[in-house]
Amino acid sequence: VFIVVSGWQVDRRRTVRIPENVWRQAACEHEERVRKLLQPGLVSFYHPLNAAHRKNREQPEPNEWTALDPKHPVYNFLIEYYGLKGIKGPRRLARWCPSLSLLLQEETRIKTIAELEEASLTKCPKTRSTQDDEQQQDFDILNGGILLEGATEDDFSSLLHLRGAQMMLDSDQQVNGVLYCPSLLFGKGEP
């Protein structure tokens, strides 16, 4: 019933599968929302903060990320408090990972973007009545996982958040997706 991922046991029964077209759409929509929120605070491609990034190039690429303006109080807060320095900061915020609340749902296969959004926002009804039952639910969630079908290592450079993720290989050692696992994300139950 369990599969082993980098020494961690993941309960196959609590693995939620998301098809490639669904998670890619969710990741793109997330990036668009982040870009819309940060756009007023992004400095020009020609600003000195982007000097290292624009090395060997004269023109920016379309939708290219730039650094946040450190003189603006809100963006300065993001830079200083959350460490969103340089171009990597906004790019890091734009990376997507699935909501761990998906592991609280009964459904183990998400088929559409609407199902994904609904499942990500919906809280699981409290069905446990004893402390032992609540601990079992915590164990079930901690040992579950969310599989993004068709994801590759290249997706980590722009689309996906790396923390808590593990590449999944098939029997021929070919990548067949990425598994997000709360045990990896929060460092619980280390092997």
Side-chain angles (χ1 to χ4, degrees):
V1 180
F2 287 93
I3 53 176
V4 177
V5 180
S6 296
W8 305 77
Q9 286 189 345
V10 177
D11 188 343
R12 207 183 284 247
R13 295 169 300 182
R14 284 305 322 140
T15 300
V16 178
R17 300 174 72 89
I18 305 175
E20 185 172 5
N21 64 322
V22 173
W23 70 258
R24 283 195 186 277
Q25 181 180 351
C28 289
E29 288 174 3
H30 171 75
E31 181 181 16
E32 288 173 19
R33 284 190 302 272
V34 170
R35 186 175 299 281
K36 186 177 178 182
L37 288 170
L38 295 182
Q39 190 65 45
L42 296 174
V43 297
S44 162
F45 176 76
Y46 304 103
H47 191 281
L49 287 171
N50 296 318
H53 181 65
R54 69 172 181 267
K55 199 188 264 188
N56 302 325
R57 294 187 320 169
E58 293 181 20
Q59 297 294 322
E61 295 176 15
N63 290 324
E64 186 168 14
W65 288 102
T66 60
L68 290 170
D69 183 1
K71 294 181 181 176
H72 187 284
V74 172
Y75 300 111
N76 185 325
F77 175 77
L78 292 173
I79 293 166
E80 296 299 324
Y81 190 79
Y82 290 106
L84 300 179
K85 294 177 171 64
I87 293 169
K88 289 182 181 179
R91 192 180 310 155
R92 195 174 23 168
L93 268 182
R95 290 185 179 145
W96 178 82
C97 71
S99 170
L100 296 179
S101 67
L102 294 171
L103 295 173
L104 297 172
Q105 306 303 314
E106 293 293 323
E107 188 62 45
T108 59
R109 177 97 176 150
I110 304 294
K111 298 174 190 89
T112 66
I113 190 71
E115 284 181 18
L116 178 62
E117 289 170 353
E118 183 180 337
S120 296
L121 296 174
T122 305
K123 293 185 179 178
C124 183
K126 187 113 172 140
T127 57
R128 308 291 181 160
S129 58
T130 68
Q131 186 174 1
D132 290 340
D133 288 338
E134 288 177 10
Q135 287 175 345
Q136 180 62 42
Q137 183 179 18
D138 290 345
F139 176 82
D140 291 345
I141 292 166
L142 191 61
N143 291 298
I146 301 167
L147 179 65
L148 304 181
E149 297 175 345
T152 66
E153 288 183 67
D154 293 338
D155 293 320
F156 289 116
S157 65
S158 59
L159 282 178
L160 298 176
H161 199 284
L162 181 59
R163 188 160 183 200
Q166 176 69 41
M167 299 302 303
M168 296 299 292
L169 305 175
D170 61 18
S171 58
D172 297 327
Q173 297 300 307
Q174 298 295 315
V175 174
N176 69 356
V178 169
L179 182 75
Y180 278 89
C181 181
S183 295
L184 294 172
L185 180 64
F186 299 113
K188 303 286 185 185
E190 297 183 27

